[in-house]
Amino acid sequence: MKLSELEILIDKYLAGRASDEEKKRIEDWLDRPTDDTTGLSLLKREELAQYFWGNIMAGIDVPEGNNPLSPPRRGIVALFSHIKRKYPVRIAATLLLLVMAAAIVKYITANHHTASTYISIAAKEGRAFQYQLPDGSKVCLFPGTVIQIPNNYNQSDRKVKVTGRAFFDVQQNESAPFYVEAGELQTRVLGTSFEVNTLSPKHPTVVVSTGKVAVLYKGRQLSELTVNKRLSVDVSRAGPVSKVDSVNAVSICSWWSGDFYFDQTPLPEMLQTISQWYKMPVTIEGDKWKAEKVTMRFETGLPIREVMHLLSETLGSNYKVTGQHIIIY
């Protein structure tokens, strides 16, 4: 694998956009790094290290009161033992070197006042992942979503980066505003609960469940949102176009609690959520059902065929499965 191709695949892997085949290629490289990849930049090794470190830390019980972003006190031997349990031996050795490289980069950046280093945490496909930030704020990641947390989080402000869809329950702290950066979209709060969704990159949305948030695009404020308000932004044009509508935030944000709850939700919007959760396109054939609104509740762990059966009974529609694609007609 050429170095340039490898770095592109790594970026997709870290962003949660890699296909199964591309994931396997990265994991094969971790298993047997070859001579032609020795020029991989230190920054790229750092990004990989922080990604795996976040996943490793998510599987380690950290004593109450310890900073979740700090390595456990059991030392490098215990860390290596944990990595060996989590990954095959050769991959574990590579990951250990990457984590050590991350520590070196973190030391260098801390002593030369350069850019912050980040820990990346990703939710696996098929289930949400909940994580508590150092200040007590909580985040729940939609499957495939990645959050990046800087090493200096909560020192002067609280900033995180998100790719995908995430629900935040933020601890109030007027002296340290909370920011979510999702590409060019930035959400600023003091203490509230809300969802940021960039699964459709050209049409990101922000929904407020409690409190109030300010939403900016490229530094320009688009709106201040209150409870049950949703901001949708169309960034496919030269100048972004935004609109605010009234929604049932409890319904839209229900996925993080283990249930999907759709309350008079337009069918295309519901199917988009299902498609993104199950990683299987669900589309409508013809115009008959496109204007329908759906009220349904079901567990997020329900197999997609059972979901389609429930939906068919609710609508009186039919569906068919063609390969990895479901069509409602």
Side-chain angles (χ1 to χ4, degrees), residues 89-107:
V89 173
R90 287 190 297 270
I91 294 180
T94 303
L95 296 186
L96 183 62
L97 290 174
L98 287 170
V99 170
M100 290 172 69
I104 294 170
V105 172
K106 188 172 182 179
Y107 174 81

Side-chain angles (χ1 to χ4, degrees), residues 53-197:
W53 177 255
N55 281 282
I56 291 165
M57 286 301 297
I60 296 176
D61 292 327
V62 180
E64 188 173 353
N66 282 9
N67 184 342
L69 300 185
S70 301
R73 296 180 181 178
R74 288 171 285 179
I76 200 71
V77 173
L79 171 60
F80 185 58
S81 298
H82 182 84
I83 296 176
K84 285 202 298 182
R85 292 195 301 273
K86 195 174 182 68
Y87 302 97
V89 173
R90 287 190 297 270
I91 294 180
T94 303
L95 296 186
L96 183 62
L97 290 174
L98 287 170
V99 170
M100 290 172 69
I104 294 170
V105 172
K106 188 172 182 179
Y107 174 81
I108 292 172
T109 56
N111 284 276
H112 290 82
H113 306 287
T114 57
S116 300
T117 55
Y118 287 84
I119 286 176
S120 295
I121 298 174
K124 296 180 180 178
E125 292 181 4
R127 63 185 179 92
F129 179 76
Q130 296 193 43
Y131 187 80
Q132 182 167 308
L133 297 167
D135 66 328
S137 297
K138 297 176 183 178
V139 57
C140 191
L141 306 179
F142 196 88
T145 297
V146 178
I147 184 172
Q148 293 181 288
I149 309 164
N151 64 320
N152 60 356
Y153 178 89
N154 204 30
Q155 291 181 10
S156 59
D157 56 31
R158 300 175 291 171
K159 289 184 180 180
V160 297
K161 297 180 179 181
V162 168
T163 303
R165 183 175 182 178
F167 179 81
F168 294 89
D169 188 0
V170 179
Q171 289 288 318
Q172 187 163 0
N173 184 347
E174 294 186 3
S175 63
F178 185 92
Y179 297 89
V180 177
E181 294 181 357
E184 300 288 355
L185 195 73
Q186 185 182 69
T187 305
R188 177 185 181 274
V189 306
L190 294 176
T192 185
S193 59
F194 63 100
E195 178 191 275
V196 175
N197 185 351

Side-chain angles (χ1 to χ4, degrees), residues 19-36:
S19 65
D20 290 342
E21 180 183 350
E22 289 169 335
K23 289 177 185 175
K24 185 176 185 304
R25 294 179 69 185
I26 288 293
E27 287 161 2
D28 285 346
W29 171 77
L30 284 170
D31 197 359
R32 304 178 189 85
T34 55
D35 292 338
D36 63 345

Side-chain angles (χ1 to χ4, degrees), residues 1-12 26 39-42 44 47:
M1 195 187 318
K2 293 181 179 179
L3 185 58
S4 58
E5 181 184 359
L6 174 65
E7 295 208 350
I8 291 171
L9 286 182
I10 288 174
D11 286 338
K12 293 181 69 175
I26 288 293
L40 188 65
S41 68
L42 192 59
K44 197 60 61 180
E47 290 174 356

